[in-house]
């Protein structure tokens, strides 16, 4: 369940970092970078859990 929540948070952060047109008087540079970093960290956590599960199943 944690992996599903992390993946959903990653998708939400990735969507928040979208490329829609911001208002002319609002700078989104910092918020967009934070959203991308958050999405990448969430996806990396999902990959780490999946890798650990595969490592448990497949003998090394």
């Amino acid at each position: 369940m944690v992996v599903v929540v992390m993946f959903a948070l990653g998708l939400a952060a990735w969507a928040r970092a979208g490329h829609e047109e911001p208002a002319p008087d609002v700078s989104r540079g910092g918020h967009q970078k934070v959203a991308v970093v958050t999405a990448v960290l969430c996806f990396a956590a999902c990959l780490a859990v999946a890798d650990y599960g595969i490592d448990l199943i497949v003998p090394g």
Side-chain angles (χ1 to χ4, degrees):
M1 180 132 156
V2 172
V3 175
V4 173
V5 171
M6 289 298 291
F7 191 78
L9 289 174
L11 285 178
W14 191 260
R16 186 169 289 233
H19 300 288
E20 67 269 359
E21 283 294 319
D25 58 344
V26 176
S27 173
R28 292 189 44 201
H31 294 296
Q32 189 173 13
K33 289 179 185 177
V34 170
V36 169
V37 169
T38 302
V40 169
L41 288 175
C42 288
F43 292 143
C46 291
L47 284 173
V49 171
D51 183 46
Y52 180 67
I54 290 171
D55 190 42
L56 288 175
I57 295 170
V58 178

